[in-house]
Amino acid sequence: MIDRDRFPVDPWRLIETRYTEDGVGETLFGVGNGYLGLRGNHIEGRGAHEHGTFINGLHETWPIRHAEQAYGFAEVGQTIVNAPDAKVMRVYVDDEPISFDDADVREYRRTLDMRTGVLERVVVWETPSGKRVRMRDERIVSFAERHLAVLRLEVVVENSDAPVTISCQLLNRQDGAGVYAGTPVEAQGAGFDPRKAEKIADRVLQPAEHWQDGLRSALSYRVAASGMTVAVVADHVIETDNEYSARTLIEADIAKNVFRVQAKAGVPITVTKLVSYHTSRGVPPRELVDRCRRSLDRVVVESVDVQFQRQAEWLAAFWERSDVQIDGHDDLQQATRWCLLQLAQASARADGTGVAAKGVTGSGYSGHYFWDTEIYVLPFLTYTSPQWARNALRARVLMLPAARRRAAQLNEAGALFPWRTINGEEASAYYAAGTAQYHINADVSFALGKYVRATGDEEFLRREGAEIAIETARLWATLGFWRTSRDVANRADADRVSTFHIHGVTGPDEYTTVVNDNLYTNVMARYNLRYAAKVVHEIAEGYPEDFARLVERTGLRPEEADEWERASEAMFIPYSEALGIHPQDSLFLEREVWDLAHTPDSQRPLLLHFHPLVIYRFQVLKQADVVLALFLQGNHFTPEEKRADFDYYDPLTTGDSTLSAVVQSILAAEVGYQDLALEYFSQSIFVDLHDLHHNAADGVHVASAGGVWTALVSGFGGMRDYAGELSFDPRLPASWPRLSYPLQWQGSSLLVTVTREALTVEVRSGEPVPFTVRGDAYIASAGSPVIVELADQGPVIPGRPSLRQFEDALREDGTPLSASVPVITTAIPIIGSDPID
């Protein structure tokens, strides 16, 4: 559990009371805006897990060297680049640096204020000669100014005169050495972990223009293989009544602005560092330097205080439309707001680039974008900040050319979006758990449909989004195939039934790969095909000019939409009559069951302790697969089916993926396992704050943070929008007095409040909003909130599902289910040798 002495509870602030240099703190106290991110490194710039400054989309490429090459394998890897570090502002008193290893620290407090967006640290330390020094530093990455970071440091020698030096630096840590580099992420700890970033041995940032002009310093580079360019310019403002002098140093990989101050007792020294970053995929470094200069010129005119004021105003508006409130639980409230702030820091100013799995807080997963964005992050953006959702979907539009090339390479029509990428090209070297996840096509289309329904942004759909729906549907039409059979065995007069199948794919569960008729894939592909057909018909009927342009852009054939509809209606949805559940895929139930209850924690997560082939032979899940389909397409399953499927799959799910617990929480709440739902929610909301997966040091789990919002709003809050109709069926935990959350719905702003006795829907602005509560229809309008009395909070089932309920169950072929744990081979004696202890 979280150390509450170190991290006290505060509903609006994350506070740290003891100094650390661990990677988790660097992640938790990172600040960013979706474009630029500064890890929570201390300004001394010395010990760290990872001295990180990350810019969304700034990457290097490298050739993937497969042990055995085959046609269509991903050929070029991509990994995020550590941008030049501007955080360093070292303080020396009597020419001695502050070193927390041996400093006599009297006070320490670091605070991330979620209302102002300011990261503040206050340190009081005493030198060996008895001089008491107070330091206060703060930083923001501006939401209002996409390319701007502000760092401010105040130093006061409280009880004596003393010489003070403040050394402000820009460092190329990506290619630096010694004190300038920091420890490579992959060198920390032992063993293999695919969640970490690759390390490139060759020089990445090739120096371009660098200079100093007064108190302004500039570095710029071209990324060696990708060809991207990056520039950083830092301006410095010193304010003090003490006498001081300034000196500078500029080299290709370091710039220093050093202030030597003859400090008088109690007279403060304030140094403000204004930093601008710009990147491009084609603009020369010199042009980027000029852009940085213009950004800083504007800030100097406006003043530094205005930047902090704008940050607070921006966040006030964000919380007005985003804040989920949980009464009576300040610890959950603090964690919820931290998760929501992380979503803003990962996406607000992404502005047409993707939302990376770690946002801009770390190098984990190499800075790649995954399908996580569409399923876990886009709902939050859609219902709170629709413009951000639109921007994220535009990132997929911009990837369409690469996605079309990838589909053709895999012998399919349409487009195939990459499983992991930065530049739009597939970057996954392991196709079985990567490229084979074709479901990402449906996930992108699903997010598009949800966005358009919730916002009414038909203009975006007609102008750009429709191409996503069409090209993704085309892939299913060629990837899938028809199979005709009789619906009743051994009857010559039986009708022949044609079904549509999809083979050779991997679903969300990466512990089961390259299977036939994965339920999640089929269910989501069915949605994709239906939605694409609907979009084509509606544009053709209502907007003939837009339709003509769409046909010109896509080469749409007249019969295609009808073909998609037929395939969607005939989509094969696997079902086991013997077990009364939906099999995860056509062969899933034939495998032996992995006995997770008797698997020791020392063998978790499974992917770090067992070869993939060992895992693939068992019924065991890395993350929710069928259960995710039950949530996303819940209107196509009965309550009884949901309960039966959840009961079967929950005991098989390891939770090795942080994407799982949020979905399990939502379905557990819906079917009635309300205590279990709260348990899964707690695992999700504290995944980073408690470092539950032991990799929070590599960056925030952004998708899990998005899932926390969905678990609150759709799980406990009971919100659904199936077929574009807003509905509520809440499941408020017994220990929660009240839950409230705002929503943006088709241009109207709502506030939904749930207590044990009632659900209230208030329209704060906009047109009246129709909705249903447990099947009954209502309309709320501005000034006239609707209060609906609740008889209960849904069904209540104690405990949790267990495999024991299937002890006597038989598969379709009559064989019993059995559970076991694979034996670790190192514990098996080798023939002809002594037993291994």
Side-chain angles (χ1 to χ4, degrees), residues 242-383:
N242 297 298
E243 293 183 2
Y244 71 90
S245 63
R247 66 181 180 87
T248 61
L249 169 70
I250 184 70
E251 297 176 0
D253 290 323
I254 183 170
K256 290 185 179 182
N257 287 82
V258 182
F259 302 95
R260 295 174 171 176
V261 185
Q262 299 302 315
K264 300 295 184 182
V267 179
I269 310 158
T270 301
V271 176
T272 303
K273 191 175 188 179
L274 305 170
V275 188
S276 179
Y277 289 86
H278 279 264
T279 55
S280 174
R281 295 195 179 186
V283 173
R286 173 165 290 186
E287 167 62 20
L288 296 185
V289 170
D290 288 342
R291 293 181 187 180
C292 291
R293 296 174 73 167
R294 290 195 294 271
S295 295
L296 294 183
D297 288 344
R298 185 169 60 253
V299 172
V300 169
V301 170
E302 293 172 342
S303 85
V304 172
D305 288 340
V306 166
Q307 310 312 315
F308 283 88
Q309 178 184 338
R310 284 183 178 173
Q311 189 83 338
E313 291 171 351
W314 190 100
L315 279 164
F318 168 76
W319 291 117
E320 176 71 15
R321 63 180 187 273
S322 308
D323 189 24
V324 180
Q325 298 184 27
I326 306 168
D327 283 9
H329 295 274
D330 282 352
D331 58 336
L332 295 179
Q333 187 67 76
Q334 178 188 45
T336 295
R337 286 180 174 138
W338 184 86
C339 287
L340 300 186
L341 179 64
Q342 299 314 308
L343 293 171
Q345 293 193 152
S347 62
R349 299 309 309 271
D351 292 8
T353 56
V355 179
K358 296 294 186 181
V360 284
T361 62
S363 62
Y365 291 112
S366 302
H368 289 168
Y369 317 136
F370 293 79
W371 65 281
D372 313 6
T373 299
E374 281 73 27
I375 297 302
Y376 292 89
V377 178
L378 259 294
F380 168 76
L381 305 185
T382 294
Y383 296 111

Side-chain angles (χ1 to χ4, degrees), residues 386-404:
Q387 182 63 45
W388 304 357
R390 193 180 201 264
N391 290 341
L393 287 168
R394 287 207 73 247
R396 291 298 188 183
V397 173
L398 296 173
M399 289 183 193
L400 272 173
R404 291 186 179 105

Side-chain angles (χ1 to χ4, degrees), residues 95 192 283 297 319 353 474 613 615 619 666 674 767 785:
D95 294 324
F192 158 79
V283 173
D297 288 344
W319 291 117
T353 56
R474 280 174 166 164
L613 287 176
I615 299 173
Q619 292 187 45
I666 294 167
Q674 297 199 14
E767 297 298 315

Side-chain angles (χ1 to χ4, degrees), residues 816-829:
L817 292 170
S818 60
S820 61
V821 179
V823 176
I824 299 295
T825 55
T826 54
I828 301 174

